[in-house]
């Protein structure tokens, strides 16, 4: 792969991770506790609206660049399922992506439309779960980039 293209892809991937995971960390450690304490679901909605305009595209960028980077690292997707430390890290990221999608879809389709001041803990579980998955994405990416993927052997 052309080094300029590689650095562009990795930069976009990292920026997407910063936006996605950083936004969820702000939501989980700042907005959620206050909304929960004050029983004010409007605080979460006020954060979610503007954040989604940048958070969802950031996740999309991560997915596209992540697939491209995995292809660069391992070759065709058939090689992503082999038993090697790098492939295990990619497999773990794919599992994290599937779990993130499941939580996000459930939140978007079932939880957020029914969000009220008295059921904030239900959305709180989703927020904490997606935030944890985001942090695991970042840590796995660091392991892949800097040679820590023997952890996945």
């Amino acid at each position: 792969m052309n080094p300029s293209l590689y650095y562009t892809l990795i930069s976009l991937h990292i920026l997407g991770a910063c936006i996605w995971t950083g936004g969820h960390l702000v939501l989980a450690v700042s907005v959620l506790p206050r909304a929960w304490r004050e029983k004010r679901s409007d605080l979460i909605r006020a954060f979610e609206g503007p954040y989604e305009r940048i958070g969802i595209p950031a996740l999309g960028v991560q997915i596209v660049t992540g697939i491209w980077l995995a292809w660069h690292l391992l070759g065709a997707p058939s090689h992503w399922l082999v038993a090697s430390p790098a492939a295990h890290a990619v497999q773990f990221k794919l599992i994290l992506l599937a779990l993130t999608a499941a939580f996000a879809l459930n939140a978007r389709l079932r939880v957020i439309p029914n969000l009220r001041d008295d059921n904030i803990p239900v959305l709180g579980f989703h927020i904490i779960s997606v935030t944890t998955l985001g942090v695991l994405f970042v840590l796995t990416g660091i392991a892949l980039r800097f040679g820590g993927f023997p952890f996945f052997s």
Side-chain angles (χ1 to χ4, degrees):
M1 177 185 298
N2 174 327
S4 295
L5 177 59
Y6 175 77
Y7 288 116
T8 299
L9 292 173
I10 198 93
S11 296
L12 290 171
H13 196 72
I14 291 168
L15 286 171
C18 289
I19 292 166
W20 179 257
T21 304
H24 280 85
L25 283 166
V26 169
L27 180 59
V29 302
S30 181
V31 178
L32 178 62
R34 181 173 172 218
W36 203 327
R37 186 174 52 253
E38 297 177 13
K39 294 186 184 334
R40 291 187 51 205
S41 60
D42 64 307
L43 295 173
I44 296 170
R45 289 183 194 277
F47 179 87
E48 286 281 337
Y51 171 71
E52 280 191 357
R53 285 192 291 262
I54 190 170
I56 298 300
L59 181 60
V61 165
Q62 281 184 277
I63 292 168
V64 170
T65 59
I67 290 169
W68 205 324
L69 291 165
W71 201 301
H72 171 70
L73 178 66
L74 297 171
S78 60
H79 298 139
W80 300 359
L81 303 177
V82 300
S84 75
H88 288 162
V90 169
Q91 293 162 19
F92 187 61
K93 287 191 102 171
L94 291 171
I95 290 167
L96 294 173
L97 179 60
L99 291 170
T100 298
F103 275 107
L105 283 172
N106 189 52
R108 170 59 48 217
L109 299 175
R110 297 183 64 220
V111 178
I112 293 173
N114 299 310
L115 183 62
R116 299 178 315 271
D117 293 341
D118 64 337
N119 69 353
I120 292 172
V122 175
L123 183 58
F125 174 74
H126 284 71
I127 291 168
I128 292 166
S129 297
V130 170
T131 302
T132 302
L133 293 169
V135 169
L136 289 172
F137 263 123
V138 170
L139 295 175
T140 304
I142 291 168
L144 265 168
R145 180 65 186 100
F146 293 107
F149 55 81
F151 173 73
F152 293 98
S153 56

